[in-house]
Amino acid sequence: MTRISPITAEQADPKAAELLGNVKSSLGMVPNIFGTMANAPALLEGYLGLSGALGSSSLSAKLNEQIALAVAGANQCDYCASAHTALGAMAGVDAAEMTRNLAGQSADHRTQLVLDFVSEIVGTRGQVSEDRLIELRNHDFSDQQLLEIFGQVMVNIFTNYFNHLAGTEIDFPVVTTKAALAA
């Protein structure tokens, strides 16, 4: 149930209208999450800035989507599960792998190491064990990559919680976390 309604560029203040225009130019549409964030232009601008910066990190688009799916599954955010399933397919993640990712699992060992780290970040509210960091470093993850993974987790927690608060209407093919986690 929508609790905070999205607004259009025509309804938005000039700054939010500009940002929504940029989103439309980039994605070809304005997903409801952005229209809803536009109610608070500073929030929308902050999210887009951080998300955009993290999008140019050393992590692949595929891994970013797998992280987003694991976080969406952990936080039971159906909006993000739906959006990142669509984006994950565009990044080359197959359907069976995306279902595993929603449960924090992967068929790929290196990706599983990342998703275990992601799950620990979420589950411990960032109080990750020294052993986890050592394990990742022993598998050739740099501190830069560890921090970029952390950034992806945080930006996805932000959107998960935002969607819970706002009740954002899903405007992608619907994926429910409960169904994916039960599979």
Side-chain angles (χ1 to χ4, degrees):
M1 175 181 87
T2 301
R3 296 168 57 178
I4 300 174
S5 297
I7 60 173
T8 65
E10 295 76 31
Q11 297 166 313
D13 81 2
K15 180 62 179 177
E18 176 187 347
L19 294 168
L20 291 174
N22 293 342
V23 167
K24 187 171 184 175
S25 293
S26 175
L27 300 178
M29 65 177 279
V30 176
N32 284 335
I33 188 172
F34 300 121
T36 305
M37 283 185 190
N39 283 288
L43 181 78
L44 177 60
E45 183 177 28
Y47 169 77
L48 291 173
L50 179 57
S51 178
L54 290 169
S56 64
S57 76
S58 68
L59 305 177
S60 70
K62 180 178 178 179
L63 185 57
N64 285 337
E65 295 307 324
Q66 292 175 286
I67 292 167
L69 287 165
V71 175
N75 288 316
Q76 297 183 345
C77 180
D78 291 349
Y79 187 95
C80 288
S82 301
H84 290 288
T85 295
L87 294 168
M90 292 169 44
V93 186
D94 72 55
E97 178 69 2
M98 287 189 285
T99 298
R100 284 189 289 272
N101 297 160
L102 279 167
Q105 302 297 312
S106 176
D108 176 75
H109 176 70
R110 191 165 170 84
T111 303
Q112 185 61 58
L113 290 170
V114 171
L115 298 185
D116 289 344
F117 180 43
V118 166
S119 294
E120 190 168 339
I121 292 169
V122 174
T124 66
R125 294 183 175 104
Q127 296 186 40
V128 176
S129 69
E130 186 67 26
D131 289 343
R132 179 74 62 202
L133 297 178
I134 290 168
E135 177 184 34
L136 289 161
R137 287 180 180 128
N138 286 341
H139 285 88
D140 298 321
F141 285 94
S142 68
D143 285 348
Q144 176 183 341
Q145 291 168 314
L146 297 178
L147 293 173
E148 290 171 347
I149 293 165
F150 173 80
Q152 284 296 335
V153 171
M154 292 303 100
V155 78
N156 282 285
I157 287 173
F158 175 92
T159 57
N160 294 174
Y161 288 11
F162 176 85
N163 289 315
H164 291 317
L165 172 73
T168 312
E169 182 180 342
I170 300 171
D171 49 354
F172 294 91
V174 175
V175 174
T176 60
T177 55
K178 288 181 184 173
L181 296 174

